[in-house]
Each structure stands twice: as C-alpha cells, then as structure tokens.
Amino acid sequence: MRPGSRRSAVTWAMTEKRYNQKRACALAGIDPRVYRRTSRRPADTDLRDRLKDLSSERRRFGYRRLHILLKREGWQVNWKKLYRIYREEGLTVRKRGGRKRAVGTRAPMAIPQGPNQRWSLDFVSDSLSCGRRFRILNVIDDFSRECLAAVVDTSLSGDRVGRELDRIAEMRGYPCMVVSDNGTELTSNAILKWQEDRKVDWHYIAPGKPMQNGFVESFNGRMRDECLNEHLFDNLRHARQLIAAWRTDFNHHRPHTSLAGLTPVEYANRSEEDQNLNRANLN
C-alpha cells in the first residue's frame, strides 16, 4: 500500500472504529509523524486536467508522448513529475494481448539516408460494423516514416496497386526501391510489368520474415492500435474518412520516438534543410 492509501486507512479506523491515532497507525503500518505530515506539493490542477484531456484524446499514448505534446503547448514540466501525476491519475495505457512471437536474433534493417530512396508497402485488413471485410494498402517512406498513402477498398488488385504508386509518384517522383512481402497482388504480372516499365527495383522479403519489412509493419501496428481498434466503421466511406484523418494526424502531429520526438513531416523538412546546408558548404 502507498502512503496515501495508508493515511486513508488510518482515517477510516479513527472515524469508523473509534481507534486512537497511535493504534490506527500501527494497524495500517504507518508512522504517526508521516500521517500527520502535511504535503507541500502544489495541486497542479491545470496540468492534471490538461493531461487527462490529452490522454482521453490519445488513448493509446503513454506518458512519454504525452510529455512531448505538453512541451509543444508550452508546459514546463519534468518528465519524472509528469510520470508521477500520470500514475496518480490512473492513466496507464492498458496493454492488449497478442500472439506469441518467435524469439531469435534479427539483423537490424539499414535506414535510407534520404527521402524517396525506399518505400515499403503492405496490406492491413479490417471489417465494417456489418461484418463486410475491407483492406488497406499502406505505403511508407522508410527515411521519414511518413505514410504516403492509406488506400481503403474491398479489393486491391495488382493493377490498382500500380495506379496508386503512380499517383504518389506524380507528387514525389519514383523511389529507388520498393520493399514488400510475397502476396499474390504484389507478385502479379501487373506489378512485374510496372516495375520493369518504371525502372524501379522491387525487393521481396523472405517468406515468414515480416521484420525484414519492419518500418511498414511497425506502422501497421500503430494504425491498428490507435485507429482500427478504436473505431467502428459504418460503411466504406466512413472508414476512408477516419483513416485519412488519422493518417494526416500521424504525419503532421503525432510525435515519433525513433525520430527524436519529431513528426515525419518535420523530420523530412529538417533533413531537406540539412542536405541543402551541406551542399552549400561543399560549394
């Protein structure tokens, strides 16, 4: 029991059982001086209210990401104090059970040194409230972790995947490489022709080794935890709206721990500025 709980037990024993303070403290296992001590800590009511509001908006965020969001809003608070308040308010993120995973050594995946060098793509499936299944094609830039597309539909063929990649390339240009698994849509003749016509290298990961495509797999987990598991989708249009809003939030507002708390867009813009500065220094 924490000191606060012990104090409550002493107060209850003195009020309900008519014990004197010394005996009630002995039964609760707390020193009378500790019971009588008045806390001088500030109430931090505004901080507690804002923390609870943020945690209700971002129910799958832990105290580290909430700390980053509070710092963005101008709150000057030590992370240890925030963690104490976070625990006192009972805001700990509830862990969801998952399947058992094989334990073994994994080689770290090389990180691209610039945007548009390598894209990763994969599919996620979910269902509408009526039970009808739909799929999501996620495309990630491995350098900035930015989600370039989250295409929602009931069927996504190889031809459709090629068209979506062309649509992204109209705004960003084609990547040097695309990484994917060995799904039937991604090994179809349409995709083989697409990569040959666009002169884009396509790397297929080894069967049964999803961590070879770790960036998009990590993104899929965040999408399922923070978006798909948090909403019931009435129809396909509703699903597209909510997933598009979450994608925008992921790219522009959600702090990414592997990017030092920056968002993917902030990281990409800062990297572009750094590259321009390096070119200027070389010239």
PDB file of all heavy atoms in Angstrom, residues 157-188:
ATOM      1  N   SER A 157      -6.279  -4.969 -56.299  1.00  0.00           N
ATOM      2  CA  SER A 157      -5.546  -5.849 -57.210  1.00  0.00           C
ATOM      3  C   SER A 157      -4.163  -5.289 -57.513  1.00  0.00           C
ATOM      4  O   SER A 157      -3.811  -4.168 -57.116  1.00  0.00           O
ATOM      5  CB  SER A 157      -6.337  -6.004 -58.513  1.00  0.00           C
ATOM      6  OG  SER A 157      -6.445  -4.742 -59.160  1.00  0.00           O
ATOM      7  N   GLY A 158      -3.366  -6.062 -58.245  1.00  0.00           N
ATOM      8  CA  GLY A 158      -2.058  -5.590 -58.653  1.00  0.00           C
ATOM      9  C   GLY A 158      -2.134  -4.353 -59.521  1.00  0.00           C
ATOM     10  O   GLY A 158      -1.319  -3.428 -59.389  1.00  0.00           O
ATOM     11  N   ASP A 159      -3.123  -4.297 -60.433  1.00  0.00           N
ATOM     12  CA  ASP A 159      -3.305  -3.106 -61.270  1.00  0.00           C
ATOM     13  C   ASP A 159      -3.606  -1.881 -60.417  1.00  0.00           C
ATOM     14  O   ASP A 159      -3.087  -0.792 -60.670  1.00  0.00           O
ATOM     15  CB  ASP A 159      -4.442  -3.342 -62.266  1.00  0.00           C
ATOM     16  CG  ASP A 159      -4.044  -4.301 -63.383  1.00  0.00           C
ATOM     17  OD1 ASP A 159      -2.881  -4.245 -63.823  1.00  0.00           O
ATOM     18  OD2 ASP A 159      -4.895  -5.109 -63.799  1.00  0.00           O
ATOM     19  N   ARG A 160      -4.454  -2.065 -59.397  1.00  0.00           N
ATOM     20  CA  ARG A 160      -4.808  -0.935 -58.516  1.00  0.00           C
ATOM     21  C   ARG A 160      -3.582  -0.481 -57.731  1.00  0.00           C
ATOM     22  O   ARG A 160      -3.361   0.734 -57.558  1.00  0.00           O
ATOM     23  CB  ARG A 160      -5.921  -1.376 -57.568  1.00  0.00           C
ATOM     24  CG  ARG A 160      -6.314  -0.312 -56.536  1.00  0.00           C
ATOM     25  CD  ARG A 160      -7.035   0.863 -57.175  1.00  0.00           C
ATOM     26  NE  ARG A 160      -7.409   1.862 -56.202  1.00  0.00           N
ATOM     27  CZ  ARG A 160      -8.466   1.773 -55.400  1.00  0.00           C
ATOM     28  NH1 ARG A 160      -9.281   0.720 -55.457  1.00  0.00           N
ATOM     29  NH2 ARG A 160      -8.742   2.748 -54.547  1.00  0.00           N
ATOM     30  N   VAL A 161      -2.771  -1.398 -57.262  1.00  0.00           N
ATOM     31  CA  VAL A 161      -1.553  -1.025 -56.533  1.00  0.00           C
ATOM     32  C   VAL A 161      -0.643  -0.194 -57.432  1.00  0.00           C
ATOM     33  O   VAL A 161      -0.089   0.836 -57.016  1.00  0.00           O
ATOM     34  CB  VAL A 161      -0.815  -2.278 -56.024  1.00  0.00           C
ATOM     35  CG1 VAL A 161       0.544  -1.898 -55.437  1.00  0.00           C
ATOM     36  CG2 VAL A 161      -1.651  -3.005 -54.978  1.00  0.00           C
ATOM     37  N   GLY A 162      -0.471  -0.608 -58.681  1.00  0.00           N
ATOM     38  CA  GLY A 162       0.356   0.152 -59.617  1.00  0.00           C
ATOM     39  C   GLY A 162      -0.174   1.553 -59.843  1.00  0.00           C
ATOM     40  O   GLY A 162       0.600   2.521 -59.884  1.00  0.00           O
ATOM     41  N   ARG A 163      -1.498   1.693 -59.980  1.00  0.00           N
ATOM     42  CA  ARG A 163      -2.083   3.022 -60.188  1.00  0.00           C
ATOM     43  C   ARG A 163      -1.867   3.922 -58.977  1.00  0.00           C
ATOM     44  O   ARG A 163      -1.593   5.118 -59.118  1.00  0.00           O
ATOM     45  CB  ARG A 163      -3.578   2.897 -60.493  1.00  0.00           C
ATOM     46  CG  ARG A 163      -3.886   2.264 -61.843  1.00  0.00           C
ATOM     47  CD  ARG A 163      -5.322   2.557 -62.277  1.00  0.00           C
ATOM     48  NE  ARG A 163      -6.303   2.079 -61.322  1.00  0.00           N
ATOM     49  CZ  ARG A 163      -6.844   0.868 -61.349  1.00  0.00           C
ATOM     50  NH1 ARG A 163      -6.474   0.010 -62.299  1.00  0.00           N
ATOM     51  NH2 ARG A 163      -7.759   0.509 -60.459  1.00  0.00           N
ATOM     52  N   GLU A 164      -1.997   3.348 -57.771  1.00  0.00           N
ATOM     53  CA  GLU A 164      -1.795   4.151 -56.564  1.00  0.00           C
ATOM     54  C   GLU A 164      -0.333   4.588 -56.435  1.00  0.00           C
ATOM     55  O   GLU A 164      -0.058   5.722 -56.017  1.00  0.00           O
ATOM     56  CB  GLU A 164      -2.232   3.354 -55.334  1.00  0.00           C
ATOM     57  CG  GLU A 164      -3.725   3.057 -55.273  1.00  0.00           C
ATOM     58  CD  GLU A 164      -4.578   4.305 -55.169  1.00  0.00           C
ATOM     59  OE1 GLU A 164      -4.062   5.345 -54.695  1.00  0.00           O
ATOM     60  OE2 GLU A 164      -5.753   4.246 -55.551  1.00  0.00           O
ATOM     61  N   LEU A 165       0.597   3.719 -56.790  1.00  0.00           N
ATOM     62  CA  LEU A 165       2.007   4.105 -56.740  1.00  0.00           C
ATOM     63  C   LEU A 165       2.313   5.194 -57.763  1.00  0.00           C
ATOM     64  O   LEU A 165       3.103   6.119 -57.490  1.00  0.00           O
ATOM     65  CB  LEU A 165       2.888   2.879 -56.983  1.00  0.00           C
ATOM     66  CG  LEU A 165       2.846   1.789 -55.899  1.00  0.00           C
ATOM     67  CD1 LEU A 165       3.727   0.606 -56.301  1.00  0.00           C
ATOM     68  CD2 LEU A 165       3.288   2.334 -54.551  1.00  0.00           C
ATOM     69  N   ASP A 166       1.693   5.118 -58.942  1.00  0.00           N
ATOM     70  CA  ASP A 166       1.860   6.176 -59.939  1.00  0.00           C
ATOM     71  C   ASP A 166       1.310   7.500 -59.434  1.00  0.00           C
ATOM     72  O   ASP A 166       1.883   8.569 -59.674  1.00  0.00           O
ATOM     73  CB  ASP A 166       1.159   5.787 -61.245  1.00  0.00           C
ATOM     74  CG  ASP A 166       1.921   4.729 -62.028  1.00  0.00           C
ATOM     75  OD1 ASP A 166       3.155   4.651 -61.888  1.00  0.00           O
ATOM     76  OD2 ASP A 166       1.277   3.972 -62.783  1.00  0.00           O
ATOM     77  N   ARG A 167       0.184   7.437 -58.721  1.00  0.00           N
ATOM     78  CA  ARG A 167      -0.414   8.661 -58.180  1.00  0.00           C
ATOM     79  C   ARG A 167       0.511   9.326 -57.165  1.00  0.00           C
ATOM     80  O   ARG A 167       0.674  10.553 -57.162  1.00  0.00           O
ATOM     81  CB  ARG A 167      -1.764   8.331 -57.530  1.00  0.00           C
ATOM     82  CG  ARG A 167      -2.521   9.538 -57.004  1.00  0.00           C
ATOM     83  CD  ARG A 167      -3.821   9.126 -56.348  1.00  0.00           C
ATOM     84  NE  ARG A 167      -3.593   8.248 -55.223  1.00  0.00           N
ATOM     85  CZ  ARG A 167      -3.231   8.668 -53.997  1.00  0.00           C
ATOM     86  NH1 ARG A 167      -3.051   9.963 -53.782  1.00  0.00           N
ATOM     87  NH2 ARG A 167      -3.053   7.817 -53.019  1.00  0.00           N
ATOM     88  N   ILE A 168       1.144   8.523 -56.316  1.00  0.00           N
ATOM     89  CA  ILE A 168       2.089   9.078 -55.347  1.00  0.00           C
ATOM     90  C   ILE A 168       3.302   9.660 -56.070  1.00  0.00           C
ATOM     91  O   ILE A 168       3.810  10.734 -55.734  1.00  0.00           O
ATOM     92  CB  ILE A 168       2.538   7.991 -54.352  1.00  0.00           C
ATOM     93  CG1 ILE A 168       1.331   7.427 -53.596  1.00  0.00           C
ATOM     94  CG2 ILE A 168       3.563   8.542 -53.368  1.00  0.00           C
ATOM     95  CD1 ILE A 168       1.660   6.208 -52.756  1.00  0.00           C
ATOM     96  N   ALA A 169       3.767   8.946 -57.113  1.00  0.00           N
ATOM     97  CA  ALA A 169       4.961   9.384 -57.847  1.00  0.00           C
ATOM     98  C   ALA A 169       4.726  10.695 -58.587  1.00  0.00           C
ATOM     99  O   ALA A 169       5.681  11.444 -58.842  1.00  0.00           O
ATOM    100  CB  ALA A 169       5.401   8.292 -58.818  1.00  0.00           C
ATOM    101  N   GLU A 170       3.492  11.006 -58.946  1.00  0.00           N
ATOM    102  CA  GLU A 170       3.215  12.285 -59.593  1.00  0.00           C
ATOM    103  C   GLU A 170       3.556  13.463 -58.691  1.00  0.00           C
ATOM    104  O   GLU A 170       3.911  14.542 -59.174  1.00  0.00           O
ATOM    105  CB  GLU A 170       1.728  12.350 -59.986  1.00  0.00           C
ATOM    106  CG  GLU A 170       1.360  11.428 -61.144  1.00  0.00           C
ATOM    107  CD  GLU A 170      -0.138  11.479 -61.446  1.00  0.00           C
ATOM    108  OE1 GLU A 170      -0.855  12.238 -60.735  1.00  0.00           O
ATOM    109  OE2 GLU A 170      -0.582  10.769 -62.363  1.00  0.00           O
ATOM    110  N   MET A 171       3.458  13.266 -57.391  1.00  0.00           N
ATOM    111  CA  MET A 171       3.746  14.343 -56.438  1.00  0.00           C
ATOM    112  C   MET A 171       5.182  14.289 -55.922  1.00  0.00           C
ATOM    113  O   MET A 171       5.773  15.322 -55.623  1.00  0.00           O
ATOM    114  CB  MET A 171       2.774  14.249 -55.256  1.00  0.00           C
ATOM    115  CG  MET A 171       1.311  14.428 -55.639  1.00  0.00           C
ATOM    116  SD  MET A 171       0.201  14.279 -54.219  1.00  0.00           S
ATOM    117  CE  MET A 171       0.303  12.505 -53.896  1.00  0.00           C
ATOM    118  N   ARG A 172       5.771  13.073 -55.841  1.00  0.00           N
ATOM    119  CA  ARG A 172       7.077  12.931 -55.187  1.00  0.00           C
ATOM    120  C   ARG A 172       8.161  12.393 -56.098  1.00  0.00           C
ATOM    121  O   ARG A 172       9.339  12.436 -55.736  1.00  0.00           O
ATOM    122  CB  ARG A 172       6.951  11.970 -53.995  1.00  0.00           C
ATOM    123  CG  ARG A 172       5.963  12.372 -52.939  1.00  0.00           C
ATOM    124  CD  ARG A 172       5.851  11.308 -51.880  1.00  0.00           C
ATOM    125  NE  ARG A 172       7.105  11.027 -51.241  1.00  0.00           N
ATOM    126  CZ  ARG A 172       7.524  11.587 -50.101  1.00  0.00           C
ATOM    127  NH1 ARG A 172       6.761  12.458 -49.500  1.00  0.00           N
ATOM    128  NH2 ARG A 172       8.693  11.268 -49.590  1.00  0.00           N
ATOM    129  N   GLY A 173       7.799  11.851 -57.243  1.00  0.00           N
ATOM    130  CA  GLY A 173       8.758  11.134 -58.064  1.00  0.00           C
ATOM    131  C   GLY A 173       8.825   9.672 -57.654  1.00  0.00           C
ATOM    132  O   GLY A 173       8.336   9.286 -56.586  1.00  0.00           O
ATOM    133  N   TYR A 174       9.444   8.841 -58.489  1.00  0.00           N
ATOM    134  CA  TYR A 174       9.507   7.414 -58.210  1.00  0.00           C
ATOM    135  C   TYR A 174      10.661   7.114 -57.248  1.00  0.00           C
ATOM    136  O   TYR A 174      11.705   7.779 -57.283  1.00  0.00           O
ATOM    137  CB  TYR A 174       9.692   6.634 -59.511  1.00  0.00           C
ATOM    138  CG  TYR A 174       8.447   6.588 -60.360  1.00  0.00           C
ATOM    139  CD1 TYR A 174       8.279   7.469 -61.421  1.00  0.00           C
ATOM    140  CD2 TYR A 174       7.426   5.686 -60.088  1.00  0.00           C
ATOM    141  CE1 TYR A 174       7.132   7.455 -62.192  1.00  0.00           C
ATOM    142  CE2 TYR A 174       6.270   5.653 -60.853  1.00  0.00           C
ATOM    143  CZ  TYR A 174       6.129   6.543 -61.907  1.00  0.00           C
ATOM    144  OH  TYR A 174       4.985   6.515 -62.660  1.00  0.00           O
ATOM    145  N   PRO A 175      10.501   6.101 -56.407  1.00  0.00           N
ATOM    146  CA  PRO A 175      11.570   5.735 -55.471  1.00  0.00           C
ATOM    147  C   PRO A 175      12.661   4.922 -56.163  1.00  0.00           C
ATOM    148  O   PRO A 175      12.477   4.434 -57.281  1.00  0.00           O
ATOM    149  CB  PRO A 175      10.840   4.897 -54.423  1.00  0.00           C
ATOM    150  CG  PRO A 175       9.752   4.227 -55.216  1.00  0.00           C
ATOM    151  CD  PRO A 175       9.313   5.231 -56.251  1.00  0.00           C
ATOM    152  N   CYS A 176      13.788   4.774 -55.460  1.00  0.00           N
ATOM    153  CA  CYS A 176      14.838   3.900 -55.981  1.00  0.00           C
ATOM    154  C   CYS A 176      14.468   2.426 -55.790  1.00  0.00           C
ATOM    155  O   CYS A 176      14.837   1.587 -56.611  1.00  0.00           O
ATOM    156  CB  CYS A 176      16.166   4.195 -55.281  1.00  0.00           C
ATOM    157  SG  CYS A 176      16.727   5.895 -55.477  1.00  0.00           S
ATOM    158  N   MET A 177      13.750   2.139 -54.704  1.00  0.00           N
ATOM    159  CA  MET A 177      13.406   0.747 -54.388  1.00  0.00           C
ATOM    160  C   MET A 177      12.069   0.700 -53.663  1.00  0.00           C
ATOM    161  O   MET A 177      11.711   1.627 -52.932  1.00  0.00           O
ATOM    162  CB  MET A 177      14.494   0.109 -53.516  1.00  0.00           C
ATOM    163  CG  MET A 177      14.185  -1.319 -53.057  1.00  0.00           C
ATOM    164  SD  MET A 177      15.453  -1.991 -51.951  1.00  0.00           S
ATOM    165  CE  MET A 177      16.790  -2.229 -53.109  1.00  0.00           C
ATOM    166  N   VAL A 178      11.354  -0.395 -53.879  1.00  0.00           N
ATOM    167  CA  VAL A 178      10.129  -0.690 -53.149  1.00  0.00           C
ATOM    168  C   VAL A 178      10.320  -2.036 -52.458  1.00  0.00           C
ATOM    169  O   VAL A 178      10.842  -2.983 -53.053  1.00  0.00           O
ATOM    170  CB  VAL A 178       8.905  -0.747 -54.082  1.00  0.00           C
ATOM    171  CG1 VAL A 178       7.656  -1.167 -53.298  1.00  0.00           C
ATOM    172  CG2 VAL A 178       8.681   0.591 -54.759  1.00  0.00           C
ATOM    173  N   VAL A 179       9.905  -2.124 -51.186  1.00  0.00           N
ATOM    174  CA  VAL A 179      10.032  -3.353 -50.406  1.00  0.00           C
ATOM    175  C   VAL A 179       8.637  -3.858 -50.066  1.00  0.00           C
ATOM    176  O   VAL A 179       7.773  -3.079 -49.648  1.00  0.00           O
ATOM    177  CB  VAL A 179      10.829  -3.120 -49.107  1.00  0.00           C
ATOM    178  CG1 VAL A 179      10.980  -4.418 -48.322  1.00  0.00           C
ATOM    179  CG2 VAL A 179      12.199  -2.534 -49.419  1.00  0.00           C
ATOM    180  N   SER A 180       8.404  -5.151 -50.255  1.00  0.00           N
ATOM    181  CA  SER A 180       7.096  -5.723 -49.942  1.00  0.00           C
ATOM    182  C   SER A 180       7.257  -7.200 -49.627  1.00  0.00           C
ATOM    183  O   SER A 180       8.329  -7.785 -49.791  1.00  0.00           O
ATOM    184  CB  SER A 180       6.128  -5.537 -51.118  1.00  0.00           C
ATOM    185  OG  SER A 180       6.427  -6.454 -52.160  1.00  0.00           O
ATOM    186  N   ASP A 181       6.146  -7.825 -49.187  1.00  0.00           N
ATOM    187  CA  ASP A 181       6.149  -9.265 -48.980  1.00  0.00           C
ATOM    188  C   ASP A 181       5.791  -9.958 -50.297  1.00  0.00           C
ATOM    189  O   ASP A 181       5.794  -9.339 -51.366  1.00  0.00           O
ATOM    190  CB  ASP A 181       5.185  -9.652 -47.850  1.00  0.00           C
ATOM    191  CG  ASP A 181       3.751  -9.225 -48.145  1.00  0.00           C
ATOM    192  OD1 ASP A 181       3.427  -8.946 -49.321  1.00  0.00           O
ATOM    193  OD2 ASP A 181       2.945  -9.166 -47.196  1.00  0.00           O
ATOM    194  N   ASN A 182       5.464 -11.237 -50.209  1.00  0.00           N
ATOM    195  CA  ASN A 182       5.235 -12.034 -51.413  1.00  0.00           C
ATOM    196  C   ASN A 182       3.757 -12.307 -51.659  1.00  0.00           C
ATOM    197  O   ASN A 182       3.384 -13.364 -52.171  1.00  0.00           O
ATOM    198  CB  ASN A 182       5.986 -13.366 -51.300  1.00  0.00           C
ATOM    199  CG  ASN A 182       7.485 -13.175 -51.236  1.00  0.00           C
ATOM    200  OD1 ASN A 182       8.164 -13.159 -52.248  1.00  0.00           O
ATOM    201  ND2 ASN A 182       8.020 -13.018 -50.029  1.00  0.00           N
ATOM    202  N   GLY A 183       2.899 -11.353 -51.308  1.00  0.00           N
ATOM    203  CA  GLY A 183       1.467 -11.527 -51.548  1.00  0.00           C
ATOM    204  C   GLY A 183       1.146 -11.638 -53.022  1.00  0.00           C
ATOM    205  O   GLY A 183       1.895 -11.158 -53.883  1.00  0.00           O
ATOM    206  N   THR A 184       0.020 -12.263 -53.316  1.00  0.00           N
ATOM    207  CA  THR A 184      -0.330 -12.525 -54.718  1.00  0.00           C
ATOM    208  C   THR A 184      -0.488 -11.237 -55.524  1.00  0.00           C
ATOM    209  O   THR A 184      -0.133 -11.193 -56.701  1.00  0.00           O
ATOM    210  CB  THR A 184      -1.632 -13.346 -54.783  1.00  0.00           C
ATOM    211  OG1 THR A 184      -2.657 -12.664 -54.048  1.00  0.00           O
ATOM    212  CG2 THR A 184      -1.428 -14.731 -54.194  1.00  0.00           C
ATOM    213  N   GLU A 185      -1.037 -10.161 -54.889  1.00  0.00           N
ATOM    214  CA  GLU A 185      -1.193  -8.900 -55.615  1.00  0.00           C
ATOM    215  C   GLU A 185       0.150  -8.293 -55.970  1.00  0.00           C
ATOM    216  O   GLU A 185       0.290  -7.624 -57.001  1.00  0.00           O
ATOM    217  CB  GLU A 185      -1.993  -7.892 -54.776  1.00  0.00           C
ATOM    218  CG  GLU A 185      -3.371  -8.375 -54.341  1.00  0.00           C
ATOM    219  CD  GLU A 185      -3.324  -9.120 -53.021  1.00  0.00           C
ATOM    220  OE1 GLU A 185      -2.197  -9.431 -52.565  1.00  0.00           O
ATOM    221  OE2 GLU A 185      -4.399  -9.417 -52.455  1.00  0.00           O
ATOM    222  N   LEU A 186       1.153  -8.520 -55.119  1.00  0.00           N
ATOM    223  CA  LEU A 186       2.454  -7.873 -55.287  1.00  0.00           C
ATOM    224  C   LEU A 186       3.427  -8.703 -56.119  1.00  0.00           C
ATOM    225  O   LEU A 186       4.518  -8.228 -56.431  1.00  0.00           O
ATOM    226  CB  LEU A 186       3.053  -7.576 -53.907  1.00  0.00           C
ATOM    227  CG  LEU A 186       2.144  -6.753 -52.980  1.00  0.00           C
ATOM    228  CD1 LEU A 186       2.787  -6.578 -51.618  1.00  0.00           C
ATOM    229  CD2 LEU A 186       1.831  -5.399 -53.601  1.00  0.00           C
ATOM    230  N   THR A 187       3.059  -9.925 -56.421  1.00  0.00           N
ATOM    231  CA  THR A 187       3.878 -10.757 -57.311  1.00  0.00           C
ATOM    232  C   THR A 187       3.160 -11.018 -58.628  1.00  0.00           C
ATOM    233  O   THR A 187       3.563 -11.890 -59.397  1.00  0.00           O
ATOM    234  CB  THR A 187       4.219 -12.098 -56.631  1.00  0.00           C
ATOM    235  OG1 THR A 187       3.001 -12.747 -56.237  1.00  0.00           O
ATOM    236  CG2 THR A 187       5.090 -11.887 -55.407  1.00  0.00           C
ATOM    237  N   SER A 188       2.100 -10.261 -58.892  1.00  0.00           N
ATOM    238  CA  SER A 188       1.312 -10.462 -60.103  1.00  0.00           C
ATOM    239  C   SER A 188       2.054  -9.922 -61.326  1.00  0.00           C
ATOM    240  O   SER A 188       3.024  -9.164 -61.215  1.00  0.00           O
ATOM    241  CB  SER A 188      -0.043  -9.755 -59.962  1.00  0.00           C
ATOM    242  OG  SER A 188       0.151  -8.352 -59.824  1.00  0.00           O
TER     243      SER A 188
END
